[in-house]
Amino acid sequence: MRNIIGQAVSGSDFFDRPQVIKRIRRAIRNGNQVYLSAPRRVGKTSIMHHLSDNPEPGEHYVYAITQSVDSLDGFYKELAKQVIGSDAFGRLGRTGKTIKNGFTDLLQRISLKVNVPMVGELSLDKGTQTSIQTDFTTLLEELDLEGGKLIILVDEFTETLDNILIKHGKQEAKRFLQSFRELMHNRKLTGHVQFLLTGSIGLQPLVKKLEATDLINQLNIIDVPALTEDEACHLFRQLVDQEDVTIDDETVRYILRKIDWLMPFHVQLLALEVIDVHESAGSPIDQRKADKAFDQVFHQRNKIYFEQYYDRLKKRLELGPEYQFVHELLNRAANVPTLDKAIVHDLAVKHAFADQYKATLESLLYDGYLHETADGSAYRFNSSILKTWWKKYVG
Ligand SMILES: Nc1ncnc2c1ncn2[C@@H]1O[C@H](COP(=O)(O)OP(=O)(O)OP(=O)(O)O)[C@@H](O)[C@H]1O
Ligand SMILES: [Mg+2]
């Protein structure tokens, strides 16, 4: 297993997460449309890659990422492009199974719109002008998967919705959700085409803002939790053992507890710095060296990893009250163990943001900055790594 930091992983670099994978597989088997929900950098894309690389019998996965798409047409175009270009489609095309009457025209039309190399020779009859969305739906309806299932993975789906909202306004964003809901629940596709969506910004807060919760109420939402301490230990060991680092279990747990929110990404950063300390100061790694490795995580050279969080946050915050509220809130939270809900409310009032702050707060929870304390009376930073980073570089 290589220590890949920053990009989504696949193949043997994927640290298995059997519980969440099992839940997703079960939901898919039961015919659900699934939304994978987790804060930034928790491993959503890696999970999608893992599923595509390891299909169950009869499953064909197609991966699409729609982060930069900002229109309804653009969205269906991207999906069509990925479906037509997929291995599954190519295989079916070669055996001639998918080609039915009129289907070639359709492929031709879509391929003209999406501009991908076609499967085999096709006539140049462009047929009638229909929307890419209708063409794409027809394409899916006509696909003969011989009893198999096409599972379309849409990464950064929520960004697309947000982009459409920003560029074209609320009505268009709702129209997009409406059209996609129709596609997902198209009776002709039942049992043979399913979707697994995800996004790095919260779907629920966004849909609430659109007053369109009813448009997503049939999605099966699956949370991707942080790793358990045992899982994190296991991952950490796999990463450091191959570098001949000597560290006992107690010290591994000690250093992992310092992170407090056990995402693979943070475990990997820490492993990288432990290896660095091992190389400069030697093994065994004791608690003092572990502390040094933890401090090194905040070195300038790791800044880019954290900027990814902050860039996303900055992009979404409206300048003015929302921006000021969030910054003061996170500054305060970074300097105390927990921040009382009453104080959060007071801050919103102070910044003239009291009637809107709840949705913003929900996004911060979703983004992985904060979570509610067990008794529900306060908020706290999710991860001491993010907390320290915020204090050092932003606050
Ligand atoms: N199961 C895993 N095995 C190994 N590394 C992982 C795993 N999950 C996540 N990672 C690590 O965490 C980082 C983030 O993973 P990934 O890009 O899959 O997350 P994401 O939730 O899609 O992030 P984003 O919200 O930014 O799109 C990767 O660079 C990878 O190093
Ligand atoms: Mg991702």
Side-chain angles (χ1 to χ4, degrees), residues 8 40-41 43-46 63 65 155-156 198-200 312:
R40 290 230 59 198
R41 315 264 71 201
K44 303 173 294 291
T45 303
S46 302
Y63 175 81
I65 181 156
D155 202 349
E156 309 290 14
T198 192
S200 296
R312 196 72 71 106

Side-chain angles (χ1 to χ4, degrees), residues 1-9 13-17 38-47 49 155-156 198-200 227 235 263-266 268 308 312:
M1 175 185 273
R2 294 173 300 169
N3 193 356
I4 296 191
I5 301 183
Q7 291 156 320
V9 296
D13 296 318
F14 182 78
F15 175 75
D16 200 11
R17 312 191 60 181
R40 290 230 59 198
R41 315 264 71 201
V42 167
K44 303 173 294 291
T45 303
S46 302
I47 288 175
H49 290 338
D155 202 349
E156 309 290 14
T198 192
S200 296
L227 301 174
L235 171 61
M263 303 208 276
F265 180 51
H266 288 177
Q268 288 166 328
Q308 293 168 355
R312 196 72 71 106

Side-chain angles (χ1 to χ4, degrees), residues 150-201:
L150 186 72
I151 299 146
I152 304 180
L153 307 168
V154 189
D155 202 349
E156 309 290 14
F157 172 80
T158 328
E159 278 68 7
T160 307
L161 179 62
D162 198 37
N163 292 341
I164 295 175
L165 171 66
I166 291 169
K167 188 158 177 197
H168 306 280
K170 205 163 158 177
Q171 277 319 314
E172 186 65 5
K174 276 177 143 172
R175 192 169 78 91
F176 168 63
L177 269 186
Q178 180 72 45
S179 79
F180 192 57
R181 182 188 155 101
E182 274 164 26
L183 176 65
M184 284 192 300
H185 300 292
N186 178 335
R187 297 261 295 276
K188 290 190 192 152
L189 300 182
T190 308
H192 84 131
V193 179
Q194 274 171 257
F195 291 86
L196 171 62
L197 316 172
T198 192
S200 296
I201 53 178

Side-chain angles (χ1 to χ4, degrees), residues 57-62 83 86-93 95 97-100 103 139-152 188-194:
E59 282 181 350
H60 306 278
Y61 282 95
V62 172
V83 169
S86 69
D87 289 351
F89 192 83
R91 263 198 315 276
L92 294 166
T95 57
K97 288 285 192 307
T98 51
I99 310 298
K100 289 184 179 174
F103 195 52
L139 169 79
L140 295 182
E141 286 171 355
E142 300 279 316
L143 268 184
D144 177 1
L145 296 161
E146 301 173 302
K149 239 185 213 182
L150 186 72
I151 299 146
I152 304 180
K188 290 190 192 152
L189 300 182
T190 308
H192 84 131
V193 179
Q194 274 171 257

